[in-house]
Amino acid sequence: MTTSCKNCPLRKKECFMPFSAQELSFMETFKSGELSVDAKTTIQIEGAKTPHLYTVLSGMGLRYKTLENGRRQVINFLMPGDFVGLQAGVMGEAGHSVETATPMVLCTFQRQDLWRLFQSHPSRAYDLVWLAASEEAFLGQSLATVGQRTGVERVAWALLKLYERLDHRGLTKGNSVALPFRQQDLADALGLSLVHTNKTLSQLRSRRVADWSNGALTILDREKLQNSAMMDVEGMEQRPLI
């Protein structure tokens, strides 16, 4: 059964901004349905035109670009509450591909209704601008990481970022969280080889800093991980939910 916006489990999360009654009523009409897909499913293909926009209701995935020689750059990791397809919705075609890492349920919206959102609900339109700006800011951090951090610093930064994002969504248990991605996915995000990534993860594990194994990430020493990543822990900032 399709989840009503009124009963959306994501709206109960502290990390998402609350809806006004008017916004909630509009979102009930803006949402066109739900899509359930298996793991390893491509839901958006780079260069393709898509009639849909999505919000991840449950599950995880990743965004990536592929070069002509087949090499891949992971741009970001998708988690519940993330919005998918805005670039394609505005520019006409997708600038990157999206693949699921786990079974995923997505709220679907019609691309043709996007202008209706901007016309009738400027506050919701501003939320889309906020999400786009947030994505741009994250890409800047990622570029600085790939360009200036060492291998150990990159991996530590990525693990801490992933943990924080999942923690803000209330998905952690103690100091652990399910992390269903592959080491190759992390390597493709950080511009490292799989061998280098594996060795770095082993180094962090042997130093009792962090352990990513068997589909779970455990932070063993947060302060050491922060120092290894050369970053401060960011406080939780409420974000819009479309």
Side-chain angles (χ1 to χ4, degrees):
M1 294 179 60
T2 301
T3 304
S4 166
C5 293
K6 293 179 181 178
N7 300 321
C8 175
L10 295 177
R11 291 182 55 231
K12 301 175 183 177
K13 307 280 187 183
E14 292 184 5
C15 63
F16 296 115
M17 295 176 181
F19 283 28
S20 67
Q22 186 180 27
E23 288 172 337
L24 184 58
S25 178
F26 172 78
M27 291 307 297
E28 288 276 8
T29 65
F30 185 57
K31 179 177 175 178
S32 61
E34 284 181 5
L35 176 66
S36 297
V37 295
D38 296 328
K40 305 304 177 187
T41 299
T42 300
I43 60 175
Q44 178 177 289
I45 300 175
E46 184 176 349
K49 300 186 180 204
T50 172
H52 296 113
L53 309 168
Y54 307 99
T55 290
V56 180
L57 186 59
S58 64
M60 298 187 205
L62 48 86
R63 311 176 197 255
Y64 66 92
K65 292 185 69 70
T66 305
L67 300 181
E68 292 182 359
N69 62 5
R71 286 184 294 177
R72 185 183 70 156
Q73 177 66 48
V74 171
I75 301 172
N76 204 344
F77 296 90
L78 288 172
M79 298 172 183
D82 286 344
F83 193 65
V84 182
L86 179 60
Q87 185 183 59
V90 173
M91 303 182 68
E93 64 179 39
H96 56 266
S97 299
V98 176
E99 180 182 282
T100 62
T102 68
M104 183 179 282
V105 178
L106 302 116
C107 299
T108 61
F109 314 97
Q110 296 293 330
R111 174 185 165 191
Q112 64 188 20
D113 290 338
L114 189 60
W115 181 242
R116 180 165 64 92
L117 181 147
F118 276 83
Q119 284 183 310
S120 59
H121 279 270
S123 62
R124 293 268 77 190
Y126 180 82
D127 288 342
L128 285 177
V129 173
W130 191 99
L131 291 173
S134 177
E135 189 72 19
E136 180 183 3
F138 179 79
L139 288 175
Q141 295 176 26
S142 298
L143 180 59
T145 292
V146 172
Q148 300 300 322
R149 283 185 166 95
T150 66
V152 172
E153 291 166 353
R154 292 185 212 181
V155 172
W157 176 85
L159 294 181
L160 195 53
K161 275 289 184 181
L162 289 168
Y163 183 87
E164 283 185 346
R165 289 179 63 194
L166 291 166
D167 188 39
H168 291 170
R169 286 160 171 79
L171 297 175
T172 56
K173 292 183 179 180
N175 60 340
S176 296
V177 66
L179 195 66
F181 303 106
R182 304 172 304 161
Q183 287 189 16
Q184 185 66 65
D185 298 330
L186 188 64
D188 288 347
L190 298 175
L192 299 172
S193 69
L194 180 58
V195 172
H196 194 164
T197 301
N198 182 272
K199 288 182 177 179
T200 303
L201 288 168
S202 296
Q203 181 180 344
L204 291 173
R205 183 167 53 250
S206 64
R207 289 169 46 199
R208 301 291 298 167
V209 176
D211 179 17
W212 180 28
S213 57
N214 300 318
L217 169 63
T218 302
I219 307 300
L220 302 172
D221 191 320
R222 194 182 187 102
E223 184 176 354
K224 285 184 178 179
L225 186 61
Q226 288 176 230
N227 292 336
S228 296
M230 292 181 60
M231 65 174 284
D232 296 324
V233 174
E234 299 174 355
M236 183 180 72
E237 180 179 14
Q238 282 192 315
R239 54 185 289 117
L241 176 65
I242 301 296

